Amino acid sequence: MRRGIRGTLATALVAGLALAASGCGSGGDGGGAAGGELSGTVTFWDTSNDAEKATYRKLAEGFQKEHPKVHVAYVNVPFGDANAKFKNAAGGGDGAGAPDVMRTDVAWVADFANLGYLAPLDGTPALDDTGDYLPQAVGSTRFHGKTYAAPQVIDTLALFYNKKLLEDAGVPVPKTFAELGAAARKIKAKTGATALYLRGDDPYWFLPYLYGEGGDMVDAAHKKVTVDNAAGVRAFRTIKQLVESKAAVTDATDGQENQLKALKDGTVAMAVDGPWDIEGARAGKAFQDKGNLGVAPVPGGSTAQGAPQGGWDLSVYAGSKNLRAAYAFVKYMSSAQVQRETTDKLSLLPTRTSVYNDPAVKRNEMVAFFKPAVDRAVQRPWIAEGNSLFEPLKVQMNKVLTGAATPEQAAKAVGDAYRKLLKDYT
C-alpha cells in the first residue's frame, strides 16, 4: 500500500515538473548578459568516490566544450565531509566558499532546501525534458511544492556474492537472511570465508533489515514514528543474531573500505552493496574473472524483501553569483547523453527513461539487474529531518552489535529520539 501510494505521488510530481519547466525565464543573473553567451566560473562539488571521480571530472569539464567562456572549477569533496562542509559554506555570511552546483545525496535535498540554501529550479533551464525522468527518481527533488534538484543517478542496495565461494560450499544464493545464516557454517567449513560482511557503521545498511520485517523509520503521511514497533525490534534482533552466530563479520569504523576489501580479497562470500562499488569490487583478486561477481536481490526478512531507494541529485546554491551558467551546467550533467556515458563507464543507473532504451545500456549486465531492483525499492520519507533520522539508528546499531543494548532497548531508544526530533509526530 505504502509503495503504491508513493509511486502515484511520484508520477504526479513528474507531471508537475514538466509544467513548471515549461515556464519562461532562467531566474538567474551573472554568467553573461541575459540571453547572451554564458561566461564566468561554475564551481562544482562532486561527492563521487575514488573509483568514480575521474569519470565525473571529465564529464564536468566537457561542459566547457559547449560553453568555451565558462570555466568549470571541479572539486571532489569526500561524501563523509560534504554535508557539513556545504552547510558551513552556505550558512557562513555571504556564502563565500559554497559551490555553484553540488552533487547532492537524495537525503540532503529537503534539508538544504528547508534551510534556504538551494535555488528553486522550477521554470529554469536546469529542468530539461522532465517527462523523461523515472517517476521514482523525482520524489527527493521536491520540497513544499517546489523543485530543488535534478535527478542524476538512482540506486539501491543488492547482495554482491562470490560465485565460486558459494559453489565450493554447495549453497545457493540466499533469498532470506535466515537462509544466509543457515548456510554460514557450511561456507566457513568448505571455503574458510565468512558468509557476510555486515555494515555496522552506516545505518543506511540497516534499512533492508527493517524493511524485511515490514517496518519503516516513520510513517510521514500520518506523522507517526514506527521504528520502535515489533518490526523494528525484529530488525535489530536479526543483525545481532547474524553477528553472534558468526554468520557475519562487522566493523564499527570504516565499513565502506573494510567491506569492499573483504569482498575483493575473498575473505567474505557476500556483502550488501550498491552499483557504485561494482567497479571497485571487480578490481580485487577474487574477481580477476569479472564473471565471478554475482548480484542478487537483498535477502528478505520474515515478512518482506526490500532495499532503500538512494541516488544523487544536482542542486544549485541559492547564493550563486552565476545562476545562468549553473542552471545550464545542471541541464548538461543530468542530460541523457551524460547519463549514458556515466552508465557506460561506471555502471551507475540513469534517472531518464530514454537512456534505458539505449542498446549499450540494455546490454549492461548490472543495469539489467539493478533496474528491476530500483523499481521495487522503498522510498524513504523525503522530509527535512530525513537525514537526521540516521544518527540515532547508528548509535543503537553499535550498541546492539557490541552487546550494550538489547534489540528491544535499541528500538525504544531510536523511537524516543525520533519523537524529540519530530515534535509533531506521535
Side-chain angles (χ1 to χ4, degrees), residues 174-180 208-209 211-213 238 297-306:
K175 295 182 179 179
T176 66
F177 286 113
E179 288 181 6
L180 187 152
Y209 300 94
Y211 297 155
E213 297 302 327
T238 298
V298 167
S302 63
T303 62
Q305 186 276 335

Side-chain angles (χ1 to χ4, degrees), residues 298-376:
V298 167
S302 63
T303 62
Q305 186 276 335
Q309 182 188 312
W312 297 91
D313 297 330
L314 294 163
S315 54
V316 175
Y317 172 48
S320 169
K321 301 297 190 292
N322 200 352
L323 283 174
R324 286 187 63 240
Y327 295 149
F329 182 73
V330 168
K331 174 181 176 180
Y332 164 81
M333 288 296 288
S334 63
S335 67
Q337 178 56 40
V338 168
Q339 290 195 24
R340 275 192 291 270
E341 292 187 50
T342 305
T343 302
D344 177 57
K345 293 177 172 62
L346 302 173
S347 292
L348 298 180
L349 274 74
T351 60
R352 291 189 176 277
T353 301
S354 62
V355 181
Y356 289 94
N357 295 325
D358 184 276
V361 173
K362 286 182 177 180
R363 290 193 297 269
N364 186 300
E365 59 182 329
M366 292 304 167
V367 171
F369 170 76
F370 272 102
K371 177 55 165 60
V374 161
D375 289 342
R376 296 194 304 269

Side-chain angles (χ1 to χ4, degrees), residues 266-290:
T267 59
V268 298
M270 292 170 279
V272 175
D273 212 334
W276 55 86
D277 269 339
I278 289 171
E279 295 306 316
R282 284 177 161 174
K285 64 181 182 181
F287 304 106
Q288 290 180 348
D289 172 7
K290 291 187 177 183

Side-chain angles (χ1 to χ4, degrees), residues 47-48 77-85 108 202 312:
T47 51
S48 63
V77 181
F79 171 73
D81 302 332
N83 186 295
K85 186 173 182 179
W108 301 346
D202 191 330
W312 297 91

Side-chain angles (χ1 to χ4, degrees), residues 162 165 191-194 260-269 284-287:
N162 186 313
L165 289 180
T191 71
T194 301
L260 190 58
K261 184 177 188 305
L263 191 67
K264 289 163 65 174
D265 291 348
T267 59
V268 298
K285 64 181 182 181
F287 304 106

